[in-house]
Amino acid sequence: MPWPFIFFPFAVFRFSFYLPSMESSISRSQTRSIESITALFEQQKQHQYEVARSSVRARIKKLKRLKNCILKYRSQIQEALYNDFRKHPSEVDMTEIYPTTSEIKHTCAHLKDWMCDEKVVTPIALLGSTSYIHKEPKGVVLIISPWNFPINLTFGPLVSAIAAGNCVILKPSEHTPHASSIMRKIVEECFDEKEVALVEGAVETAQQLLSLPFNHIFFTGSPAVGKIVMGAAAKNLASVTLELGGKSPTIVDETASVDVAARRIAWGKFVNNGQICIAPDYVFVHKSKMPAFKDKIKSYIHKFYSEDPSQEVSYARMVNNNHYKRVLGYQEDAINKGAHVIHGGKTKHEEDYIEPTLLENVPMDSELMTEEIFGPLLPLHSYENIDDVIKIINGREKPLALYIYSRNKKKINHILNNTRAGGSCINHTGVHFYNTHLPFGGSNNSGIGKAGGKAGFDAFTNNRGILKQNMPNALELLTPPYNNFKQKLIDFTIKYL
Ligand code: NAD
C-alpha cells in the first residue's frame, strides 16, 4: 500500500503552516474556436506516426519531463485547487500529485515490458509460420476529465496515452478553472502541441472535440455524459474507455472492527468533501454494531475536522453553488420522506459549505438513495440478514466500488461472489485506486474499460496480431479447385489439428 495511506487514516493532522492565498497568479482560461480545434487535430493526425515510432527511452524521457514539471509547479497546483474548492495542500499532495507521480514511476519501470512484441504459440495447422502481438498506439486520442480530481484524472490517463505512443488532446473540466489553467501551463511547457495539447472549455468545446474522428476517447465523468460520449464515439467507431460514477455501497458486518470501519469510512467519505467517485455512498451496518458504529464515526468526524468543520482548513468545500444546491436538494427530499439527520446538517450558502452529515431512516426511493450523492452526506442503514443487503445492491446499477468491512473470510467471499462492482476494498475505503498494479474502473453503468498501470497502457494500445510465414505450409495444399484428396486433408485437419 502506498505510504500516505498507511499513515493518513491513523493520524489526525492539524495544519497551520502554509495555506495558499485566494489570489491566483494563474492566467485566465483560453478557449479555442472550432477551426483552431480542427487544425490542432489535423496537425496531430499528421504527426502521429512520428510519435508512434518513439523508443521506450524517448517515452520515458517525456514522462519524466512531465513528472518534473508537475513537481516544479507543485505549490501552484496546491494554490489552484485551494482557489477552486478550498482543498487543503496536503490533500492535494495525497490525492492529486502522489497518484500522478506514482503512475509515472510505475509506468517508467514497466514500459519496456509492456511495449515489447509478445510472441504467441503457432498451431500445428499453421506450421512454418511464427506469430506475435505488436503493440501499436491507437493514434490520436481525446481525454475528457472531470473536476473532482482534476490533475490526477487528466494527467493519469495522459501518462498511459504517452506511454502507448499516442498524440493527445486533453479537455479538463470547466468547473475547476484554476486547475485547468495550471495544467495547460505544464502541458505547454512539456510538449509541442502537435503531440500533446490541452484545450480549455465547457460542454460546447467538449462536443466540438467529440465530433472529430479520434481513434480513442478516454472519458471520466458521470454516466449520463458517458452515454453522450459513447454515442459520439459510435459515429466514428472510436473505441472508448468510460470511467464513470454511481453509488458505491459499504457493508460493515457483525465481525468487523467498528473502530477501523468508522475511521476509514469517515476518511474515505469526507476527503475532498465527499466529491469522490469511489466514496462510500451509503453504508449498511449490522444491527448489532450500529450503536457503536454511530458513536465511532461521529468521533472520527470530530477528530478529523474538529467540532466546527467550517473553521477547519483540512475540510474542502463543494465545488460550486449548483452542486451545493443539488446535494441539499437530495437531503431535503429524504427528510421530507422521513429521513433524519443524526450528525451534522449545518450549511453556509455563501461558502458552499455542507457539514459532514450522517442520516438515518433514509427511504430507498429518496433521491439520496437513488442518485449519486457526490457530497458530504452519508446515509446509514442497519441490517440483520446480509442476503437482504445483497438483494438491494444487486437491484441497482453495478457500482464503481463496493467496500466490505469484515473479519470473516467466508462472509467476505459470500459478498464478493454474489455482487458485482468495478472494484472492491476489504477493510478499507478507496485505496484500491492507489495500487498501480490493479486495473481501475467500473462495469457497465459505472464504466467500460480500465485505467491505470498496464490496464491504462492497454486502453490506448491496439494489439496488432501479426503472422509471419517462413516456409510453405499445409494450407497451400488446400487451395481451389477442391477434390476428394483435398477434402480428406480438410477432414484430417478438422479432426486432429
Ligand atoms: P460530468 O460528466 O458532468 O463532466 C465530465 C466532463 O465532461 C467535463 O470535462 C465536462 O466539460 C464534459 N461534459 C459535460 N457535459 C457534457 C456534454 N453534454 N457533452 C460532452 N461533454 C460534456 O462529470 P463531473 O461533474 O465533472 O464529475 C462527476 C462525475 O464523474 C461523477 O459521476 C463521478 O462519479 C464521476 N467520476 C468518475 C471517476 C472514475 O474514475 N470512474 C472519477 C471521478 C469522477
Side-chain angles (χ1 to χ4, degrees), residues 14-205:
R14 287 281 177 271
F15 296 99
S16 54
F17 54 98
Y18 157 78
L19 268 183
S21 82
M22 290 289 281
E23 289 304 310
S24 174
S25 56
I26 294 162
S27 59
R28 294 177 141 266
S29 154
Q30 272 190 0
T31 47
R32 287 181 185 243
S33 66
I34 177 71
E35 292 76 23
S36 134
I37 288 175
T38 309
L40 174 64
F41 175 77
E42 288 302 329
Q43 207 187 0
Q44 291 204 348
K45 231 172 111 183
Q46 294 296 319
H47 189 59
Q48 62 172 307
Y49 295 99
E50 200 177 321
V51 175
R53 286 192 298 272
S54 56
S55 64
V56 184
R57 252 179 90 180
R59 293 185 199 180
I60 289 178
K61 206 169 152 194
K62 285 181 212 171
L63 292 174
K64 288 190 172 161
R65 200 189 318 144
L66 177 63
K67 179 166 80 84
N68 291 338
C69 206
I70 290 170
L71 293 175
K72 176 175 151 193
Y73 288 108
R74 182 171 163 187
S75 61
Q76 290 189 43
I77 291 172
Q78 291 170 338
E79 181 187 351
L81 268 292
Y82 188 78
N83 284 321
D84 280 331
F85 57 108
R86 284 177 64 165
K87 186 158 164 164
H88 193 278
S90 298
E91 215 163 281
V92 174
D93 275 349
M94 285 195 306
T95 63
E96 298 277 17
I97 308 276
Y98 170 73
T100 312
T101 54
S102 94
E103 184 72 32
I104 293 176
K105 283 186 207 154
H106 177 80
T107 301
C108 291
H110 297 278
L111 189 56
K112 194 171 168 205
D113 288 343
W114 299 346
M115 275 176 70
C116 264
D117 287 345
E118 215 178 285
K119 276 200 173 157
V120 296
V121 170
T122 302
I124 295 180
L126 300 176
L127 213 64
S129 67
T130 46
S131 298
Y132 61 98
I133 300 166
H134 177 62
K135 313 294 172 66
E136 69 180 19
K138 290 219 167 142
V140 183
V141 303
L142 172 64
I143 295 173
I144 300 181
S145 54
W147 52 264
N148 64 326
F149 293 105
I151 311 291
N152 166 358
L153 297 176
T154 306
F155 285 162
L158 174 64
V159 171
S160 304
I162 292 172
N166 295 278
C167 289
V168 190
I169 297 182
L170 303 160
K171 207 302 279 174
S173 174
E174 63 278 23
H175 297 307
T176 37
H178 296 89
S180 296
S181 191
I182 186 67
M183 283 194 285
R184 179 164 55 80
K185 190 168 179 175
I186 290 171
V187 166
E188 285 173 357
E189 197 166 310
C190 287
F191 305 101
D192 191 307
E193 73 168 17
K194 63 183 187 228
E195 186 171 348
V196 181
L198 187 146
V199 174
E200 288 175 88
V203 175
E204 199 188 336
T205 305

Side-chain angles (χ1 to χ4, degrees), residues 145-148 153 171 174 206 219-222 243-245 277 372:
S145 54
W147 52 264
N148 64 326
L153 297 176
K171 207 302 279 174
E174 63 278 23
F219 170 79
T220 308
S222 58
E243 293 282 328
L244 310 177
C277 55
E372 180 180 6

